[in-house]
Amino acid sequence: MRLAELSNRSGVATATIKYYLREGLLPPGRQINATTAEYDETHLRRLRLVRALIQVGKVPVANAREVLKHVDDDSLGRTIRLGAALWELPQDPEPDAEDEFVRAAQQEVAALLDRLGWDNAKQLSSISPAYRSLVTGVAAFRRLGYDWGAEQLAPYAELMHRTAVLDMDNMETYPSDAERVEFAVLGAILNEPVLQALHRLAQEEESTRRYGFE
């Protein structure tokens, strides 16, 4: 397909596509002549991912470029490739290791991982942004006086593991490793807000079941 058709099918303006090409976010098309290139379905798929990263996820161009670099790096094993791509997304800052609430949260999260038998997650804790975010969240609860730790988190973690199994099952329906990693990145940007919305809807449903509309 030519640039105009790529624009029509993706809903992205031609000027924006040219910008993505210049920034290395979209691979160049097959050159037909000095002024014309041809694009295919892989460009359309990548363009949708770029659009999700930048327009929906508000990911800076530099970060988006790093995400896509890992998506395309077939020299990496599947786990590292997936993790590297996701870790390039904007993350929470490193928690203050000297903060007493952070230290207590780290102990609770370590106890949680032990309780669940999540040994692999524990091994990745020193580099995992998700681990840092969990520690930060637990520290915030404890700073406000709420006893929120391994015991309270374990049932939620088990539910999230079931969600992760569904994620991986869906991801494995895609034929190539690059497409699987793309799906995971899209899930982080698009599906996590959907899951949050479902959680809140479920709370509303359960509240009305228990208490009615009082």
Side-chain angles (χ1 to χ4, degrees):
M1 74 186 88
R2 302 297 172 85
L3 184 61
E5 183 181 353
L6 181 62
S7 175
N8 288 334
R9 291 184 61 185
S10 65
V12 180
T14 56
T16 303
I17 295 175
K18 289 178 181 178
Y19 169 70
Y20 292 161
L21 287 164
R22 288 196 302 272
E23 291 295 323
L25 302 176
L26 192 67
R30 184 175 66 86
Q31 208 67 34
I32 297 174
N33 56 45
T35 59
T36 306
E38 188 172 63
Y39 304 91
D40 58 25
E41 295 297 323
T42 61
H43 291 91
L44 182 62
R45 193 182 75 237
R46 176 53 55 87
L47 191 51
R48 288 170 175 159
L49 177 59
V50 171
R51 189 181 186 188
L53 284 166
I54 294 177
Q55 297 182 11
V56 179
K58 308 301 181 185
V59 177
V61 168
N63 290 76
R65 190 183 297 112
E66 290 301 307
V67 170
L68 296 171
K69 181 178 74 174
H70 294 305
V71 167
D72 292 332
D73 189 353
D74 56 11
S75 70
L76 300 174
R78 188 175 300 177
T79 297
I80 298 301
R81 188 174 182 178
L82 174 59
L86 292 175
W87 294 347
E88 288 294 345
L89 296 173
Q91 308 290 346
D92 290 337
E94 188 81 34
D96 182 4
E98 300 303 315
D99 186 301
E100 62 176 300
F101 296 104
V102 169
R103 291 199 300 270
Q106 288 172 331
Q107 292 175 355
E108 289 295 333
V109 172
L112 172 68
L113 298 180
D114 285 337
R115 179 173 181 157
L116 296 168
W118 289 8
D119 296 333
N120 296 323
K122 195 167 185 179
Q123 290 180 31
L124 292 170
S125 62
S126 63
I127 58 174
S128 170
Y131 171 85
R132 294 199 298 268
S133 294
L134 181 57
V135 167
T136 298
V138 173
F141 267 103
R142 301 182 74 83
R143 190 173 288 111
L144 293 171
Y146 292 96
D147 184 20
W148 197 246
E151 183 176 353
Q152 293 79 16
L153 285 168
Y156 290 93
E158 289 163 358
L159 288 173
M160 289 299 99
H161 183 259
R162 289 169 58 189
T163 302
V165 169
L166 289 173
D167 288 340
M168 295 294 117
D169 287 346
N170 286 329
M171 186 179 74
E172 288 173 0
T173 64
Y174 289 84
S176 70
D177 281 347
E179 288 174 276
R180 292 173 187 140
V181 179
E182 286 180 3
F183 174 82
V185 172
L186 281 172
I189 296 168
L190 301 177
N191 202 37
E192 288 183 5
V194 171
L195 292 176
Q196 182 184 65
L198 284 171
H199 181 202
R200 292 179 180 175
L201 278 173
Q203 288 176 329
E204 293 171 7
E205 174 67 17
E206 183 59 23
S207 178
T208 55
R209 283 182 190 274
R210 294 188 185 202
Y211 314 121
F213 289 94
E214 299 175 0

